[in-house]
């Protein structure tokens, strides 16, 4: 799945895909990778401080994940710069979704939240 959102001139684009070689459906484990691009399209320098995710499986189970930075980094984005990273998410069902937010701080020290729009995690349908 894919999504994009713009909050306060910060654009967040996501692409996800199923990773069959790391999945084990017979024991209830489906593995998804996602790639995120965060682009600063505004006039201020900003830094990503923390992330918060809601991971929703096909049964309606919700897992919340929060913590500092992304992939161990708290990137600083000058106007016009972008930061890309990849991560992954195991699910107990063959499809689900993720959505979330990042806490940012601008060069004046003002913190603000930016949205990561919901994107789907789904095993491709098998066509017989």
């Amino acid at each position: 799945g894919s999504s994009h959102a713009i909050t306060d001139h910060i654009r967040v684009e996501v692409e996800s895909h199923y990773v069959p070689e790391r999945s084990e459906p017979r024991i209830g484990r489906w593995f998804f990778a996602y790639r995120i691009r965060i682009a600063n399209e505004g006039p201020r320098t900003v830094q990503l401080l923390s992330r918060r995710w809601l991971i929703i499986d096909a049964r309606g189970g919700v897992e919340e994940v929060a913590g500092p930075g992304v992939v161990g980094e708290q990137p600083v984005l000058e106007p016009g710069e972008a930061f890309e990273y990849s991560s992954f998410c195991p699910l107990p069902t063959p499809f689900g979704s993720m959505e979330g937010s990042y806490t940012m701080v601008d060069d004046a020290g003002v913190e603000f939240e930016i949205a990561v729009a919901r994107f789907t995690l789904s095993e491709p349908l098998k066509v017989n």
Side-chain angles (χ1 to χ4, degrees), residues 5-123:
I6 301 175
T7 312
D8 289 339
H9 305 290
I10 312 297
R11 179 189 298 268
V12 182
E13 298 173 306
V14 187
E15 289 283 343
S16 70
H17 65 271
Y18 177 59
V19 186
E21 60 274 15
R22 295 191 67 177
S23 299
E24 296 180 88
R26 69 183 187 285
I27 61 165
R29 181 179 165 87
W30 286 265
F31 208 85
F32 300 90
Y34 56 89
R35 183 166 187 80
I36 298 187
R37 184 174 189 270
I38 304 162
N40 181 2
E41 299 179 348
R44 316 172 279 177
T45 297
V46 298
Q47 181 175 16
L48 189 155
L49 297 179
S50 62
R51 70 189 184 282
R52 178 174 170 270
W53 288 114
L54 292 177
I55 303 164
I56 302 145
D57 68 34
R59 298 184 197 114
V62 179
E63 182 184 3
E64 184 171 339
V65 178
V70 289
V71 293
E73 296 189 53
Q74 292 179 309
V76 173
L77 299 175
E78 307 277 343
E81 286 188 338
F83 179 79
E84 287 193 33
Y85 72 97
S86 295
S87 191
F88 54 83
C89 172
L91 274 185
T93 57
F95 59 92
S97 67
M98 284 178 66
E99 62 188 89
S101 62
Y102 297 129
T103 300
M104 311 293 285
V105 63
D106 70 14
D107 46 19
V110 177
E111 288 191 17
F112 61 102
E113 297 275 316
I114 63 171
V116 184
R118 179 179 292 195
F119 57 96
T120 56
L121 306 169
S122 67
E123 179 184 11

